Amino acid sequence: MRARILRCRLAAILFVASSAQAGDTLTYGIPGSYDQLLDREGFALGYSSEWKQPRWVSYRLTADEVTGAVVARSNDFQPDPDIRGSQAQLEDYRGSGYDRGHNAPSADMKWSARAMRECFYLSNMSPQDGACNSGIWNEIENTVRGFACREDKVFVLTGPYVESAAPKAIGRTCRVVVPDGFWKVVYDETPPCKMIGFIVPNRKVKGKPKDYACSVAEVERKTGLTFFPKLTGQDSLKRTFDVGAWDWSKSQRKRVAAKPAPLSVVPSGKTSDSYFTGFREEYRAGAAMPVGSRKAAPVCDKWPDTGWWLSTNSNKRHNRKCENYRKT
C-alpha cells in the first residue's frame, strides 16, 4: 500500500511538471488544427499526419536561454518515439535533395540536453531547400535570437505552409510533403509589446530578414492559422508591424541596463571631466534617428542638467548654449 501511495504521488508530481511545461509552450493557446499534439521540454508542436511534419511549433525564448548554452548541437536525427502511425524515417530524406530543416531550431534549445535531443526528432523536421535552410532562414533564426536577447523574452511560432493543390513529396517509406515555404511569428512580451511575422519561399532567395518581414495578420491569411487566441485586445498588434521598432543586429548578448545618472553636483576635489567621463553614454536613436544626426536626435532627458555634455563619438565637450548639449 505504501509503495502504491508513493507511485501515485510521483505520478501527480510528473503531471504537475508536465502541466507547467505545457503552460509555457502553449501560453497563448493552440493556433490551429493538428492530428497529434506533442508537448516537449522546450517547445510544443501540432503534428500533421498528412504532411509528416509539424503544422506549427510554439515556444517561449528568453535571453538567458540564448546566452546560457549548456549543450552543443547533437545532430542526432531520429524518428519520434511518440508519433502514432506512419511517420518520416531517416531514409525518406536520404538522397532527396532536401535538408532536414528544423522548425524549432537546435540553437534555441542549447539550454537543455532533453530539449536538444527532442528537437532532432523527425517530427520537428520539414523538407527544406538547402540554400534556404543555410541562407535566409538561418539569418531569420539568428535575428529572432537577437530579438530575445534585446527584449529579454519573446514568444515564437513557426512552421511550414503548403499552397499547392498537389504538393511535391519525398520519401522511400512514406510520403513527406515538401512545403512551398516557411513562416515565423514573434511576439515581444516585454512592454511596449509588439509583433512581427516572416514569410519565406522554400528556395534560394536574396535579401535580408527585413525584406521578408510582414504583419502577423498576413501570416494568418497565408497559413489559415489563428495565432495567440488567448491573447485578448491585441488585434492591432497583429495588423501592423514596424521594422524600425526591432533590433536587427543579430547580437546574442543580453541587454545591459544603463548606469544610473550621476549626481548633478560634482563632488569636491574632482573636475567635471574626470567625474562625468565614467558615466558617458551615446544616445542611440535607431534607424529613424541615426546617431550623429543633430536634427533628429532628441534631448536625452534621463541625464541631469550639469552644464556640460561630452559626446562619445567626437569626445568634444559642450556647454548649455551649444546646439549639441544633452543630445547625441
Side-chain angles (χ1 to χ4, degrees), residues 54-128:
R55 182 84 167 84
W56 51 263
V57 168
S58 65
Y59 60 99
R60 176 175 282 115
L61 185 63
T62 69
D64 287 336
E65 288 171 347
V66 174
T67 60
V70 296
V71 293
R73 178 186 170 99
S74 72
N75 285 322
D76 185 20
F77 294 92
Q78 296 291 337
D80 192 328
D82 296 321
I83 290 294
R84 300 186 299 267
S86 176
Q87 65 167 306
Q89 302 294 319
L90 295 174
E91 52 265 35
D92 292 323
Y93 282 88
R94 195 171 293 125
S96 69
Y98 288 92
D99 288 357
R100 295 163 293 196
H102 283 76
N103 283 277
S106 61
D108 291 2
M109 303 295 149
K110 290 183 177 180
W111 52 272
S112 163
R114 179 180 172 183
M116 178 61 69
R117 181 179 69 254
E118 291 176 338
C119 84
F120 274 92
Y121 288 156
L122 294 182
S123 59
N124 184 44
M125 304 299 153
S126 295
Q128 189 168 30

